[in-house]
Amino acid sequence: MKNLWEISTTEFAGGKESLMRRGNVYQLANGYMGYRGTLDEFGPDESVGITLAGIFDRVGSAWREPVNAPNGGFTRVSLDGTDLSVLSGKVAQHRQTLSFSPAVFERETVFSLRAKTLTIRSSRFLSADTPNLGVIEFSVYCDKAANVTIRTGIDCNIWDLNGPHLLQLAAEKQGEVLLVQGLTSENSKRVLVAEVIDLNFGVEAHESKDDRTLRVISWRAEAGKIYTFHKYFAVVTDNDLVGKPIQSAAVKMVLRAKALGYAVCLKKHRAEWAKKWERCDVEIEGDDEAQLALRYSIFQLLMVAPVAGSANSIPARALSGQVYKGAIFWDTEMFMFPFFLHTYPEKAVELMRYRIKTLDGARRKAQTEGPGYRGAFYAWESQETGDDACTYFNIGDPFTGRDLRTHFRDKQVHISGDVAIALWEYFKLTGDDSLLLEGGAEVILECARFYYSYAYFKKEKGRYEILDVIGPDEYHECVNNNAFTSMVAKETFVIANAAVEHLRKKHPAALRALVKKIGISRELADFREAARLLYVPAPDPKTGVIEQFDGYLKLREATVEELKAKMVHPNEYLGAGQGLAVPTKVIKQADVVMMLNLFKTRYSAKIKQANWKYYEPRTEHGSSLSACAYALVAAEFGDLEFAYKYFLKTAKIDLEAKYKVYVGTVFMGGSHPAANGGAWMTAVLGFGGVQADEKRVVINPRLCAKWKTFQFNLAYKGDGFRIKITENSVTITSPTTNVRRHKILVAGSKTVCAPGASVTVKYRPTKH
Ligand code: BGC
């Protein structure tokens, strides 16, 4: 039987691009850092990367991006004087495995050289218990006696896209610990790597060569004997709360790990992962392909979830490298946040704290992006301060090499509303208003303030309009009355009013303090008016189609295939000034359909179907965010076959590493956590039909024919449930640790689930 808790491959070579893709598929992460799925002996040419969360740097006028640390996991072996690497062509066998529980990467390679074989086995993890720590077990075994040398230590040859970021890199040895430290070029933040090993064979010498600080262990290996050592490395930066000075904190950390030993470190790591899976796993019986792909997606999200207390968020390419400047986009709130909110609310809190932390950056952006903007205009590409990393010329033209003017930064204003919506969802589904008091309400009010300053009051129509924006479909820029953006802006006003009402009732003193702090009292009446009078394009009374923006329906008809056939360069960008899609109805990704999905209770299934039918054939799905939005809506109106196809496409994007690596001249090779979140949403919210609000949880199952049982957990108002769906029944189990009786509506039947109870409700399956 196939193991659905791991992936493995025997492939190891290929060109730079396949090494890069494999590095994404097999990556490890622990929220603090990512370690690409590369092999011990690899270097920057093979895209080794230890990417750190929340620390960024800029070199000259190049793009700001996250810092990659020196590689404390480096090890290279030589057999009778010949250096071994899988790329050297002496490989008799190779297998590498990524296990999901716990997150461990393993490789076993047999090298065959001059009638001898040498086997390397290594196994590594980034501790889920101690975020700064990486741990490796490394073994060597020869079938005949041989002279073996292991070089292990810290490799300072760093794979950077726009580096070098670490200046004055200096190595030293402090007792048994190897240390490397450097300073980021922009803010002089220290990044430090400490490494120690335990060794009970060979003689160790020290070597500093080719920007590596290494231990050289040489010995005569006996035939058939396994030689094992363990390696502990820690990465720390000035951002960390690990105690000062950070150097002694790092040294202490690795020495402590060494004292505990590999087995104990692994046990602690395993225990943390067991807790994560207990809360977040989804089980699908009857469909191994879907099970593996979905579990892998969940695994990716769990690995990159921010460390508790960090107030970091998840970049659009997770921690798989420096792609997309390591920036946080709307992807987090709209595609990843729902997974955490429904399964692991503590992580949802962290994601929201990041937006609270970066509120000042959003305020600065409103002021500088002007004219006359006020409040919080969140960055399209956000880094640690919330200032926008997105440039006005954000895509390179592959024909001329020149940068193309894009308006992602200045016109994709829906980002502020996406943040406000996520904050409010958190409050609705958890009932916990502490985030609002911690700064969440301030964020919401500042977002509303921004939209009020952005909106235009059209006197002749007596309504506010949101003009000159980009919706999720980035191929059509500077458009008026984009349905998605206007809806999100309107909702922000509604939420701002509701947040004020909540504070007025429950925390009047906090409301007074907030109103005073941000000087907002007179504007509250404006927000009430805008919530009523902001125009959102409505479904056409005859066709049900919502026009994506003013004039969209008059654009030229074209199919995606026609446009693709006209492309002169494979990486050509279809949007921006001259892009092929600009004069046509071809859209990059779900836009109106994304809106229908986000506000699903406000539109009928008929409207959803009409828009889905209209827009899907005109959608390029040029973003990994698109397919799941169409799958979710299709599941709702009953096209389960389509929903399933797009679910799988979304769930497998990282597993199969089939994605564009360049857009224009911009390198894009990284993983896709938004699609991972989209896969979870399609499964649980789509096929499971889960819809929760502040009053109750609704479950309207629409199970795929193949799925015999479908089980998942839901967190709701501080409690949790286990839900099991079969073809005709839903069983809800409420653990004894729950404190409330919850109302759950299963396929229209009201159910009350008391703590410790398990209720089964029969339903009639949807025909498909
Ligand atoms: C998509 C955006 C997305 C970004 C990061 C772009 O290709 O169009 O919607 O936020 O990628 O994933």
Side-chain angles (χ1 to χ4, degrees):
M1 221 175 88
K2 199 169 167 20
N3 183 343
L4 301 173
W5 285 93
E6 62 173 43
I7 53 166
S8 64
T9 180
T10 54
E11 285 172 23
F12 53 89
K16 246 184 148 82
E17 192 175 315
S18 25
L19 287 169
M20 185 280 297
R21 287 183 193 264
R22 213 172 298 128
N24 289 331
V25 178
Y26 284 85
Q27 68 182 303
L28 287 173
N30 66 354
Y32 177 82
M33 59 186 155
Y35 191 153
R36 296 175 48 76
T38 49
L39 301 179
D40 310 80
E41 64 270 27
F42 283 179
D45 286 346
E46 291 81 37
S47 76
V48 170
I50 297 191
T51 303
L52 306 182
I55 176 162
F56 295 84
D57 184 59
R58 178 173 201 174
V59 177
S61 60
W63 280 358
R64 257 182 129 243
E65 60 189 14
V67 173
N68 279 349
N71 176 15
F74 178 83
T75 301
R76 189 169 285 173
V77 179
S78 79
L79 172 64
D80 292 331
T82 304
D83 276 351
L84 301 176
S85 159
V86 289
L87 301 178
S88 67
K90 313 216 165 36
V91 177
Q93 264 178 49
H94 173 82
R95 172 171 290 275
Q96 64 188 53
T97 306
L98 181 67
S99 307
F100 311 158
S101 183
V104 174
F105 172 84
E106 285 170 291
R107 61 88 64 101
E108 179 170 321
T109 311
V110 182
F111 294 92
S112 173
L113 188 65
R114 292 187 287 270
K116 287 183 188 170
T117 68
L118 180 146
T119 303
I120 287 178
R121 243 180 249 146
S122 80
S123 149
R124 70 169 171 244
F125 60 91
L126 296 178
S127 173
D129 169 69
T130 311
N132 304 66
L133 186 71
V135 182
I136 302 174
E137 179 170 80
F138 197 98
S139 310
V140 172
Y141 157 94
C142 298
D143 67 341
K144 299 202 178 93
N147 293 325
V148 178
T149 300
I150 291 178
R151 286 187 161 73
T152 188
I154 308 174
D155 186 358
C156 298
N157 297 287
I158 298 172
W159 181 50
D160 278 325
L161 296 183
N162 295 292
H165 296 292
L166 296 180
L167 306 180
Q168 302 166 36
L169 264 177
E172 63 179 290
K173 195 156 184 252
Q174 211 182 82
E176 56 177 323
V177 178
L178 293 181
L179 276 170
V180 163
Q181 55 180 312
L183 292 177
T184 60
S185 78
E186 189 186 14
N187 296 324
S188 296
K189 294 241 176 194
R190 252 169 324 157
V191 173
L192 197 142
V193 181
E195 184 255 21
V196 74
I197 64 169
D198 61 18
L199 183 73
N200 55 14
F201 59 88
V203 181
E204 184 183 325
H206 183 237
E207 178 181 282
S208 269
K209 215 170 127 190
D210 303 331
D211 293 320
R212 296 190 187 109
T213 175
L214 300 174
R215 307 160 190 282
V216 184
I217 306 142
S218 298
W219 80 107
R220 179 82 186 157
E222 289 170 32
K225 182 165 174 191
I226 299 173
Y227 296 88
T228 302
F229 72 94
H230 298 105
K231 191 169 160 76
Y232 308 88
F233 68 90
V235 183
V236 294
T237 79
D238 277 331
N239 281 0
D240 300 342
L241 300 170
V242 286
K244 300 270 181 262
I246 60 169
Q247 177 166 330
S248 25
V251 169
K252 254 195 230 150
M253 210 177 287
V254 288
L255 289 177
R256 178 159 184 271
K258 178 178 168 175
L260 291 175
Y262 181 83
V264 174
C265 291
L266 180 60
K267 197 171 156 202
K268 286 165 166 261
H269 176 65
R270 192 186 294 283
E272 288 303 313
W273 270 99
K275 284 190 234 158
K276 291 182 207 291
W277 282 116
E278 202 183 312
R279 298 174 69 165
C280 303
D281 190 30
V282 174
E283 288 175 80
I284 303 170
E285 198 193 333
D287 187 353
D288 286 358
E289 187 185 14
Q291 173 71 80
L292 183 69
L294 180 58
R295 190 170 278 147
Y296 181 81
S297 302
I298 295 171
F299 177 54
Q300 295 297 313
L301 291 167
L302 291 175
M303 284 201 295
V304 295
V307 171
S310 66
N312 277 335
S313 187
I314 306 175
R317 290 293 176 269
L319 295 172
S320 65
Q322 295 159 324
V323 172
Y324 260 140
K325 306 161 197 159
I328 288 99
F329 291 65
W330 73 312
D331 303 35
T332 313
E333 279 74 18
M334 293 289 108
F335 295 83
M336 307 175 213
F337 181 79
F339 162 76
F340 292 108
L341 178 59
H342 286 91
T343 62
Y344 206 158
E346 301 94 300
K347 297 293 178 189
V349 168
E350 218 60 60
L351 298 175
M352 286 298 97
R353 287 202 173 124
Y354 167 76
R355 294 301 189 178
I356 296 171
K357 176 177 89 177
T358 52
L359 174 59
D360 278 344
R363 285 183 171 124
R364 278 192 294 277
K365 179 172 170 189
Q367 272 159 25
T368 51
E369 217 57 66
Y373 300 164
R374 306 182 65 221
F377 182 0
Y378 273 89
W380 183 245
E381 299 183 0
S382 186
Q383 298 176 332
E384 80 279 42
T385 60
D387 291 286
D388 210 329
C390 188
T391 61
Y392 293 112
F393 295 82
N394 215 43
I395 288 185
D397 176 14
F399 299 105
T400 59
R402 291 180 196 145
D403 292 334
L404 297 170
R405 175 65 163 116
T406 52
H407 291 272
F408 313 141
R409 172 185 170 126
D410 41 331
K411 308 285 179 198
Q412 206 151 174
V413 301
H414 65 78
I415 177 68
S416 290
D418 303 335
V419 171
I421 288 171
L423 269 165
W424 196 243
E425 281 296 294
Y426 175 82
F427 170 54
K428 277 182 4 192
L429 268 60
T430 61
D432 167 20
D433 62 7
S434 61
L435 254 187
L436 293 176
L437 298 170
E438 252 182 58
E442 188 174 343
V443 167
I444 291 171
L445 290 179
E446 290 288 28
C447 289
R449 189 179 236 177
F450 166 65
Y451 285 127
Y452 196 79
S453 71
Y454 199 93
Y456 173 78
F457 189 73
K458 211 171 221 174
K459 269 201 196 125
E460 66 275 26
K461 297 205 164 157
R463 70 192 192 192
Y464 290 90
E465 294 190 2
I466 302 281
L467 307 176
D468 197 15
V469 299
I470 307 189
D473 161 30
E474 293 171 340
Y475 290 162
H476 297 92
E477 302 193 312
C478 306
V479 299
N480 295 337
N481 296 313
N482 165 252
F484 180 92
T485 308
S486 301
M487 190 70 171
V488 157
K490 190 172 181 128
E491 189 66 7
T492 305
F493 290 121
V494 173
I495 290 172
N497 298 336
V500 168
E501 274 322 297
H502 176 78
L503 295 186
R504 205 189 301 284
K505 273 197 211 126
K506 303 273 179 192
H507 307 280
L511 179 64
R512 279 195 300 278
L514 178 57
V515 165
K516 191 163 169 222
K517 178 178 175 200
I518 62 174
I520 204 158
S521 66
R522 276 191 300 117
E523 288 156 87
L524 297 178
D526 298 337
F527 297 169
R528 285 195 293 275
E529 185 183 75
R532 270 191 307 118
L533 299 183
L534 201 150
Y535 166 67
V536 178
D540 179 274
K542 280 203 199 104
T543 62
V545 171
I546 300 170
E547 190 170 28
Q548 190 177 296
F549 52 81
D550 290 354
Y552 171 86
L553 294 174
K554 295 200 193 85
L555 293 174
R556 206 176 75 217
E557 270 308 347
T559 64
V560 175
E561 292 68 36
E562 270 162 42
L563 287 202
K564 293 224 160 143
K566 284 190 189 153
M567 283 170 74
V568 178
H569 192 288
N571 303 333
E572 174 177 347
Y573 183 61
L574 299 181
Q578 312 273 339
L580 285 169
V582 177
T584 75
K585 284 187 186 162
V586 172
I587 61 173
K588 181 177 183 187
Q589 65 200 74
D591 193 309
V592 169
V593 167
M594 183 65 198
M595 190 265 279
L596 294 174
N597 186 48
L598 187 58
F599 299 98
K600 57 168 63 122
T601 53
R602 310 201 191 157
Y603 294 91
S604 69
K606 215 167 138 207
I607 295 294
K608 286 178 191 145
Q609 187 163 15
N611 283 279
W612 188 95
K613 280 200 164 147
Y614 187 83
Y615 285 106
E616 203 288 319
R618 295 172 172 85
T619 307
E620 188 222 353
H621 299 295
S623 158
S624 62
L625 278 47
S626 189
C628 65
Y630 280 96
L632 275 156
V633 172
E636 234 189 300
F637 67 74
D639 189 343
L640 293 183
E641 212 171 295
F642 180 95
Y644 182 73
K645 190 170 93 191
Y646 272 36
F647 157 72
L648 267 192
K649 183 176 162 165
T650 305
K652 285 166 100 174
I653 184 167
D654 280 337
L655 196 54
E656 294 189 337
K658 285 188 192 145
Y659 37 73
K660 294 191 229 177
V661 170
Y662 279 93
V663 171
T665 57
V666 182
F667 175 66
M668 291 285 185
S671 53
H672 299 77
N676 302 149
W680 179 90
M681 284 199 282
T682 311
V684 173
L685 310 184
F687 300 128
V690 170
Q691 165 75 42
D693 63 19
E694 65 275 41
K695 295 203 189 87
R696 64 182 171 205
V697 177
V698 175
I699 304 178
N700 278 319
R702 302 168 284 240
L703 227 50
C704 310
K706 278 190 192 173
W707 297 10
K708 286 200 193 106
T709 64
F710 177 45
Q711 298 188 65
F712 52 88
N713 295 321
L714 276 186
Y716 183 68
K717 302 241 168 156
D719 284 343
F721 307 101
R722 179 86 184 150
I723 313 286
K724 179 174 177 184
I725 304 180
T726 70
E727 190 198 359
N728 55 14
S729 70
V730 176
T731 303
I732 304 156
T733 308
S734 173
T736 45
T737 45
N738 276 0
V739 290
R740 305 181 198 199
R741 292 158 62 83
H742 291 274
K743 276 191 237 153
I744 301 186
L745 198 63
V746 180
S749 316
K750 280 189 201 144
T751 312
V752 175
C753 203
S758 184
V759 193
T760 298
V761 183
K762 294 276 177 206
Y763 74 96
R764 208 175 304 152
T766 327
K767 294 245 176 317
H768 52 265

